[in-house]
Structure formats: C-alpha cells, structure tokens
Amino acid sequence: MTRKSGVALWRQIADQIRQAISAGTLGADGRLPTEMALSERFGVNRHTLRSAIAALVQEGMLRAEQGRGTFVESRQKLSYPISARTRFSTGLREQTRERRSTLLAHALEPASARVAEALRLALEAPVIRLETLSEADGRPVSRATSWFDATRFPGFERVYAETGSITFSFQHFGIDDYFRKSTLVSARHADTADLADLRLSAGAIVLVARAVNIDAEGVPVQFADTRFVADRVELSVSTEA
C-alpha cells in the first residue's frame, strides 16, 4: 500500500482486490478470506477494508452475506463483437434477455478538430452530441459519447430518444445500413460521469472503443467514444460483417 499518495487506502485496496480476483489469485474458490485475514494482508484496519469491500459490492463484483462472508459474483463476462456491422442490440442478443439504450444528454455544438476530422466536416461545423447508456439485463455495460452531422441529421437526438436505437434513428433519415470503418481500443480509469452512470467504484477500469461508422457510400455518419465496463465486458474483434 502507498500511503500519502493522494489515493485513498480503501480505493487502493479495492483496486488490488479487483485485480487479484481477475488474475485468479484471490477468491478462486468463490469466497474471499475473512476480514481479519484481508486486513492483515493489506496492513489496514477493518474499517478501511470494509470501505473497499462495500465499493466492490456496489460495483457488482462481490456479494456480502450476513454471517456467511463475502463471495465473488460468478457472472461471466459478456463478449461484445466488433465487426463491420457492430450493433448493440444484436451483438448481445444470444447472451442476454433484455437490452436497452437510453439518452442521458444531448447538445448542439461546434465540431472540434478531432470530431471534424472523423466526420470529414469543416472545423466548428454544427454537430449533435449524444450521451447514451446501454444496459443488459438491468446492468449498465457501456456509456457512449457520439457525434453526428447536424446539417445532415437535424433532430437526431429526438429520434433517438423515441427509438433508443442508433440503427432505427439512421433509418429515419434514409440510411438502411451502415458500417464500421475503424475502431481504436484503449483502457483507462473511469471518470466521474462514467463511475456514476455505470455504477462503478473509484478506480474501476473501462475499455474505450473509439469508432467511425460510414454509410454505403463511404461517408462518415457517426463518430463515437464508447466506454465498456472491463469487469463485465470483453471486446471480440472480427473481420466478418
């Protein structure tokens, strides 16, 4: 443990427990050691340890049972396919019972250099930004920020709010099919907004997929940064459509 590092001890412990569980070096039998054993292992008092455990329980990684102990939730990671036709609704269809995407916020704004380049627009051209949340069986799995050409897709946010689907929203504007041109995957700690909306504890890791989608003529129609919960989702890249 690193004291006086600016990172709370309970957060450091939560990170280490999360990593140890993922690596199979802790809770391999489905159950964590006792509070006393964990407190000694990390060199902290039980109050600090309980804060770390509580954060991981809230995150959905652990389950605490009164009088029995703390257990590792044995939910298998969802495999999210990234291919020429990447769709949230169909990508998880065989793995989940219910899937839902909702609009958290939207704005009309001038395109930044990054957005303008991705969508092949002039710098500061008007774009629509959507903040969306996708859930599977009631659990948040991803949070996305997407940009669309406001001139080509006026009112895109209203259509999305009604349909909850990027695919259906594009169909409203006459685009029956679209394709993934590029995807860049990285990883980072979740920021404040992602922690709240994805129901994560501080220090949680998200996989970031930065993507450009194009229409049948090769014109960019969407630029998106999607953050997936690393403990709940793995990204499966395929060359197939």
Side-chain angles (χ1 to χ4, degrees), residues 91-232:
L92 299 180
R93 179 178 295 167
E94 303 301 322
Q95 305 172 66
T96 59
R97 296 183 302 276
E98 298 178 352
R99 297 156 301 281
R100 182 180 70 162
S101 295
T102 54
L103 179 63
L104 300 175
H106 64 87
L108 178 65
E109 60 188 28
S112 65
R114 179 173 64 118
V115 173
E117 180 181 7
L119 294 178
R120 297 186 202 164
L121 299 174
L123 184 64
E124 297 190 350
V127 292
I128 296 170
R129 174 174 53 82
L130 301 188
E131 302 288 344
T132 58
L133 178 70
S134 294
E135 299 174 285
D137 293 337
R139 299 180 74 205
V141 294
S142 66
R143 189 181 188 280
T145 305
S146 302
W147 292 268
F148 308 85
D149 180 355
T151 301
R152 184 178 183 183
F153 304 112
F156 193 96
E157 72 283 358
R158 293 194 298 273
V159 181
Y160 181 86
E162 294 174 0
T163 64
S165 167
I166 295 294
T167 299
F168 291 160
S169 298
F170 277 140
Q171 290 175 355
H172 174 84
F173 290 95
I175 298 177
D176 294 325
D177 203 2
Y178 60 99
F179 309 89
R180 180 62 56 92
K181 177 185 177 184
S182 63
T183 303
L184 177 65
V185 178
S186 60
R188 62 167 172 78
H189 285 92
D191 62 22
T192 302
D194 290 343
L195 288 175
D197 292 322
L198 294 173
R199 302 178 204 164
L200 298 173
S201 59
I205 300 296
V206 290
L207 302 176
V208 184
R210 178 171 296 176
V212 176
N213 287 324
I214 58 176
D215 62 16
E217 284 71 45
V219 178
V221 292
Q222 179 188 12
F223 176 49
D225 275 334
T226 305
R227 285 84 72 196
F228 295 89
V229 181
D231 290 331
R232 301 171 193 164

